[in-house]
Amino acid sequence: MKVLVTGARGQLGQDLCDQLHTRGAELVTPDRQQMDFLRPESIADTIQAASPDWVVNCAAYTRVDNAEAEPEAAFCINRDAARLVAQAASAVNAGMLHISTDFVFSGAHDQPYEETDATGPLSVYGRSKQEGELAVQEACPGSIIVRTSWLYGARGRNFVKTVLRLARERDELRIVSDQTGSPTWTRDLAAALWQLMQRRAAGVFHYSNGGQASWYEFACAIVEEARDLGFALKPGRITPIATREYPTPATRPAYSVLSREKIQSLLDQPIPDWRQSLRLMLEELQQCPDC
Ligand SMILES: NC(=O)c1ccc[n+]([C@@H]2O[C@H](COP(=O)([O-])OP(=O)(O)OC[C@H]3O[C@@H](n4cnc5c(N)ncnc54)[C@H](OP(=O)(O)O)[C@@H]3O)[C@@H](O)[C@H]2O)c1
């Protein structure tokens, strides 16, 4: 099976490529020279030339705060390029798997969001991803769209690595405690994506690790687990703060836990709890000083 992965050098892309490689898939991983989402003409040509069985779209404009000042780039990459990728996948009869986000929701719920719940993004990034979902569905009705949340992996920039860096440098970390979601290890997500591809699923699915946490609880767990594994951190404290004490250009949903019921029924194994996966990721990070 030949799989073209966009964004293969991003944090999810790298773990997905490892997963696909282990499963024996032939990988096509165009870099920005070959396929730049800001140069639309490069998209169809690259997909047509590769003629893959699957296209997995992990590339995205992911700088949530910067997107407020750069809406054109965010929409170009997250909506318009996603549409072109789906059209090109359709044209070569490839399966299409597209990654989306919990930020398509407003956060007004207090129960996990189902796939059928109304969206209501609060930010440019969230709107660009929501419109990207619609564009992909229109261009390729049999596509799989997976919304996920609070991603982290050993490779790439993410909250876990930021907290570890700050905990090495500072005596106090001030972390938002009134936003709740589900942290998700990119390795677990990659394994779930592979299974969806195998089952030829179609439609929208939610995937995150099990359980939920605030950013504050997540930060406390990162520091506790890292200390337990012997990471050299300062003996500092973590202080919970309100979102209004840490203003950011983009508004984030206060609650963005995703219901995992639909996807769980298609997976071989129970979805791992977020804290268990965090521990495994930290163990991986320990073995990889360059990550
Ligand atoms: N991070 C999260 O917490 C989170 C949460 C929910 C959903 N998601 C979604 O999950 C997916 C993967 O996210 P991630 O965290 O792995 O993202 P990431 O680490 O920021 O990687 C994004 C990838 O997109 C590529 N990209 C950006 N602009 C591009 C352009 N103009 N042309 C071609 N490629 C471009 C980047 O290429 P380079 O390597 O060349 O820079 C990079 O490989 C995205 O769809 C994101 O919206 C992420």
Side-chain angles (χ1 to χ4, degrees):
M1 181 164 95
K2 191 196 259 194
V3 186
L4 186 147
V5 180
T6 71
R9 287 151 198 86
Q11 58 175 348
L12 173 60
Q14 293 189 61
D15 276 351
L16 179 65
C17 287
D18 285 354
Q19 174 73 219
L20 294 170
H21 179 72
T22 307
R23 303 292 185 163
E26 182 187 343
L27 289 171
V28 182
T29 56
D31 61 20
R32 290 246 201 147
Q33 301 277 39
Q34 296 158 298
M35 195 199 250
D36 183 345
F37 280 15
L38 295 169
R39 278 193 300 117
E41 68 285 359
S42 64
I43 295 174
D45 290 352
T46 311
I47 293 176
Q48 197 178 15
S51 194
D53 302 300
W54 276 93
V55 176
V56 185
N57 188 27
C58 297
Y61 183 110
T62 54
R63 288 165 294 148
V64 175
D65 287 316
N66 293 10
E68 296 298 312
E70 294 182 344
E72 296 83 8
F75 277 96
C76 179
I77 293 170
N78 292 346
R79 178 192 60 199
D80 303 339
R83 177 190 290 112
L84 294 173
V85 170
Q87 281 171 346
S90 208
V92 295
N93 279 323
M96 171 76 196
L97 199 170
H98 175 72
I99 310 299
S100 192
T101 172
D102 56 333
F103 281 18
V104 299
F105 293 114
S106 71
H109 272 208
D110 55 7
Q111 294 292 319
Y113 279 96
E114 307 286 342
E115 286 79 354
T116 47
D117 281 329
T119 54
L122 303 175
S123 61
V124 167
Y125 168 76
R127 278 199 298 283
S128 69
K129 294 292 290 184
Q130 179 212 30
E131 292 188 23
E133 289 183 2
L134 297 175
V136 167
Q137 280 169 323
E138 211 174 84
C140 194
S143 60
I144 309 175
I145 294 179
V146 177
R147 296 186 185 129
T148 187
S149 63
W150 295 27
L151 284 187
Y152 64 89
R155 294 162 293 184
R157 282 177 301 115
N158 54 60
F159 184 75
V160 176
K161 291 168 82 174
T162 301
V163 166
L164 290 175
R165 178 175 54 77
L166 295 177
R168 278 195 301 271
E169 295 170 0
R170 296 191 187 170
D171 296 318
E172 185 190 13
L173 273 62
R174 292 163 56 77
I175 308 284
V176 167
S177 62
D178 55 2
Q179 289 173 29
T180 300
S182 299
T184 304
W185 188 21
T186 43
R187 247 198 215 215
D188 291 336
L189 173 57
L193 296 180
W194 165 257
Q195 288 186 41
L196 288 185
M197 291 161 74
Q198 291 302 103
R199 289 178 184 31
R200 282 263 163 199
V204 178
F205 293 87
H206 288 173
Y207 183 92
S208 69
N209 276 132
Q212 64 181 55
S214 66
W215 290 111
Y216 166 73
E217 289 164 333
F218 189 20
C220 291
I222 294 164
V223 169
E224 272 172 40
E225 296 290 353
R227 281 219 176 92
D228 192 56
L229 286 167
F231 282 69
L233 306 179
K234 282 193 158 195
R237 66 176 185 282
I238 307 181
T239 306
I241 60 166
T243 297
R244 64 175 151 29
E245 295 176 78
Y246 186 73
T248 52
T251 305
R252 289 158 168 80
Y255 178 91
S256 65
V257 177
L258 301 172
S259 166
R260 295 166 286 264
E261 267 177 45
K262 181 180 175 190
I263 201 167
Q264 180 63 82
S265 64
L266 291 179
L267 302 177
D268 291 341
Q269 286 168 352
I271 295 173
D273 185 73
W274 69 265
R275 183 139 185 168
Q276 180 192 335
S277 291
L278 169 65
R279 172 93 183 186
L280 294 173
M281 179 273 194
L282 290 170
E283 286 173 2
E284 183 188 336
L285 200 54
Q286 234 176 356
Q287 305 306 316
C288 178
D290 300 331
C291 282

